[in-house]
Amino acid sequence: MANFADLHPPLSDHEALVAADRCYFCHDAPCMEACPTTIDIPLFIRQIATHTPEAAARTILTQNILGGMCARVCPVETLCEEACVRMSAEEQPVEIGRLQRFATDRLMAAGPQPFERAASTGKRIAVIGAGPAGLSCAHRLAMYGHEVTVYDARSKPGGLNEFGIASYKAVDGFAAREVEWLLGIGGITLELGKALGKDLSLDALTEEYDAVFLGLGLTDTNKLGIPGEELEGVVDAVDWIADLRQAEDLSTVPVGNDVVVIGGGMTAIDAAVQAKLLGAESVTLAYRRRREDMPASRFEQDLAASKGICLLFNATPAEIRGEGAVAEIEFTRTGTDARFTLTADQVMKAIGQKLGAALGLETDGRKIAVDGTGRTSREGVWAGGDCASGGEDLTVTAVAEGRDAAEDIHAKLMGEG
Amino acid sequence: MADLTTDFLGIKSPNPFWLASAPPTDKEYNVRRAFEAGWGGVVWKTLGEAGPPVVNVSGPRYGAIHGPDRRLLGLNNIELITDRPLEVNLEEIARVKADYPDRALVVSLMVPYDEKAWQEILARVEETNADGVELNFGCPHGMAERGMGSAVGQVPEYVEQITRWVKKHYQRPCIVKLTPNITNILAPARAAKNGGADAVSLINTINSITSVDLDNMAPEPTIDGMGTHGGYCGPAVKPIAMNMVAEIARSPDTAGLPISGIGGVTTWRDAAEFMALGAGNVQVCTAAMTYGFKVVQELISGLSQWMDEKGYGSTADFVGAAVPKVTDWQNLNLDYVTKAEIDQDLCIKCGRCYAACEDTSHQAIAMGEDRTFTVKDEECVACNLCVNVCPVEGCITMRELRPGELDPRTGMTIPEDKRTWLQHPNNPGADPLACIVRGQ
Ligand SMILES: Cc1cc2nc3c(=O)[nH]c(=O)nc-3n(C[C@H](O)[C@H](O)[C@H](O)COP(=O)(O)OP(=O)(O)OC[C@H]3O[C@@H](n4cnc5c(N)ncnc54)[C@H](O)[C@@H]3O)c2cc1C
Ligand SMILES: Cc1cc2nc3c(=O)[nH]c(=O)nc-3n(C[C@H](O)[C@H](O)[C@H](O)COP(=O)(O)O)c2cc1C
Ligand code: SF4
Ligand code: SF4
Ligand code: SF4
């Protein structure tokens, strides 16, 4: 479906050279500081400018093994590109994200992942969750020569890269290809369809393995807690997106004519945009607070608006009505008694995900509590990514946390930490 | 990854990238940080005689030429040699060398034309355990007015004499740094060789005025209303430097003399080019001064990627590889014909090629109704101007006509064998037999 073409098309060689030429090679570069995985951005851009994109890719992947996916999905407008000094100079940052994609695409097209495994250490580590956090952790551990088993409850690896990220951000099965490529390092065994809490227990895992890393993500969703939530046509946006991502034929994905999406984050935007792209007549995104409070960036808001989505602010859902199936939804103007109603034959809830189970570990807020290196309250158990405290819920943050936990696990197991 | 380890005059360094004698190497603090950043070696900022050190200006000492987006293309300076006491420098050199035994540390020197002066400073340098010395016969300003620097470098006899003194009083390698401010670089290179130099390094900076302040009517940098010529360096001087390196590498009487290539090295590619033309290693100043020490990381990664791609196991495998291909004009094949070709998919229809060719060259580019630009083979002399002015890299390329193909411009069929000016019928001094053989 042409509608689902690449959001940011890849740069041609000429575009890449022109874009790279704009980088100042800043000292202690602010963009680098703003990248959760601290990629050496000035260096990799210089490597592109000097016609060695493969070297550039190595610079990127050393810090972030999912640099290919991050180049596609990072909200760069709130991360590296926001910090770029050319934002202050001309409000036109160096196109870091697209340059990152240029380099990583080049290297990935040329062959296998470029890292070698160290000699076997004989240590065995269980990683639960094959999302960005788990994969990044597993790759780093494999690089150090450890033997890693990655368990995931789903039938496919990739976590939200595979099941959540909007289809126009990672076209042509990129998520699956990237996982395949990453596993090329060797030393990583994938065990799919194995759920912790069902098929596996933390006690057994800590018993069997030298260390356990939890990259579980957030498997539960928040409820609206208003009348009508159980009506047919009221869906969880993440589930709906997962179905969309896995659909062989997009025309089979159920989409309403009048779609109302409730929420204000990336999931809400992605659901709204994709509903529109699938052919919904009208899509309204209703957020309960002001525009300035919206977690989705201005770039994403504008993206939604450009697709014809109506953004509604200060709208608190009060009641969903309909005979068996949803027909309309009533809101209050946040903080007032004023009420209004929208026609809706599909309501998508995108009001946040939460941790499935804390597995007896200490929590911090609603997440598994970890220290700066990912250690949980239980000896021998580390956690990172969306399920763990600290950092934003982003792919790149998950990669950083998985990598850092791997470094700590390695140091601990080799008696250095 | 390719092994970048380089052996230059028996001085080993983990890579061929040395910092040239200049502010980046003027003190221990800088040099330690440079080594931490990955530089393979340094030539310490030029030391002068013991006693009160030279005094620098305290107003601006640099001028610059910028490209679009303020990219620094050329830098000039009116700085002198080190203005710190000799003793301090020597102590620092000894300390740094002791802490970084695997890096090259060469000491640059400039003292008056007097054997005793050289003997004295060499003895002091020897005590630091530095790997060698570089004789600065290059600085074109200030020191030259005092009979040193380029004032020596421009007189081959002085070059030879001082080199002899140095070789007599110092056991380790001696590199002679040449000034480009001379009509023929071979003269001082020969003198250095005759004097016993182990190597030459080039180029030092070029006499220059980078800009004029049109309000105060004074050259820049301006010191209290007045200015002087300074030494020019940076990317802009690379072509001049590379030609001089190549001349020394290919001239029969200087060929084989080791060369340290300097002048505008900014990327791995610049370094590879200098080395292909015969430089055993390269020295860098302006690129470090523009981008900081970290720039060496790109030099390292780029050179090793290229070496891997080409299958070069060590830098020695390609040093000098292009030297046999550098020749005199008269040896070029005049029957070799290429034609410009425009890739219509890459062309953005700016018309720069057309303006250049139509106005100033051979009217060999046609402009269609819809701004389609095409090359007229019957007019194209293959001058390459369009290739050089086109803003899109790789959009215009040169296609080589194969033997047997017709050149529509001359009506000539490309012959199998080649014909240079030495055999050309238009050359009154040509060998007539060459034409008879070809049936003309
Ligand atoms: C719709 C949507 C769009 C998003 N878009 C973006 C975006 O554009 N850019 C961005 O940076 N971020 C985006 N995010 C956020 C990003 O996807 C997450 O932050 C990131 O995937 C977190 O990685 P993770 O590895 O912690 O968890 P996940 O990617 O959620 O992976 C967790 C894995 O653990 C498995 N698992 C969970 N519980 C168990 C169990 N008990 N036993 C075994 N396996 C288990 C799951 O099956 C899953 O494979 C989006 C999120 C959503 C929901
Ligand atoms: C500010 C400045 C000071 C320099 N001082 C010296 C010096 O003391 N001794 C010397 O041999 N060369 C000196 N040079 C010349 C450099 O070592 C080098 O030969 C020249 O800059 C060309 O290299 P580049 O294009 O990489 O800068 C100086 C250059 C600059 C810019
Ligand atoms: S801040 Fe911008 S200009 Fe500076 S290094 Fe980063 S990308 Fe380049
Ligand atoms: S570079 Fe440093 S020393 Fe030079 S003028 Fe600027 S602040 Fe002063
Ligand atoms: S200069 Fe290059 S891009 Fe411009 S018209 Fe000519 S061929 Fe096309």
Side-chain angles (χ1 to χ4, degrees), chain B residues 196-213:
Chain B
D198 298 288
V200 287
S201 57
L202 67 164
I203 57 174
N204 209 309
T205 55
I206 305 176
N207 281 338
S208 61
I209 291 178
T210 46
S211 55
V212 175
D213 179 335

Side-chain angles (χ1 to χ4, degrees), chain B residues 111-123:
Chain B
V111 293
Y113 187 75
D114 166 35
E115 179 168 1
K116 206 150 168 299
W118 284 95
Q119 185 179 0
E120 269 170 24
I121 197 159
L122 286 163

Side-chain angles (χ1 to χ4, degrees), chain A residues 73 132-133 152-154 159-160 169 196 216 266 386 393-395:
Chain A
V73 307
D152 199 292
R154 300 238 200 198
L160 289 172
K169 289 185 185 167
L196 178 61
L216 304 169
M266 217 175 248
D386 285 0
D393 288 349
L394 293 173
T395 309

Side-chain angles (χ1 to χ4, degrees), chain B residues 23-100:
Chain B
T25 63
D26 198 7
K27 48 173 122 66
E28 178 172 0
Y29 176 81
N30 293 12
V31 174
R32 283 186 186 273
R33 290 182 70 239
F35 284 159
E36 290 306 318
W39 289 91
V42 303
V43 181
W44 202 275
K45 172 77 179 171
T46 306
L47 309 183
E49 277 186 296
V54 303
V55 179
N56 269 303
V57 295
S58 292
R61 59 180 88 160
Y62 303 122
I65 297 293
H66 291 110
D69 213 1
R70 265 183 84 77
R71 182 161 301 254
L72 195 113
L73 298 181
L75 186 73
N76 97 341
N77 80 87
I78 56 169
E79 175 177 290
L80 305 180
I81 61 175
T82 185
D83 52 16
R84 303 181 325 128
L86 178 65
E87 287 65 31
V88 174
N89 276 305
L90 291 170
E91 275 166 27
E92 292 183 0
I93 289 167
R95 263 203 304 273
V96 174
K97 183 61 211 178
D99 286 353
Y100 293 90

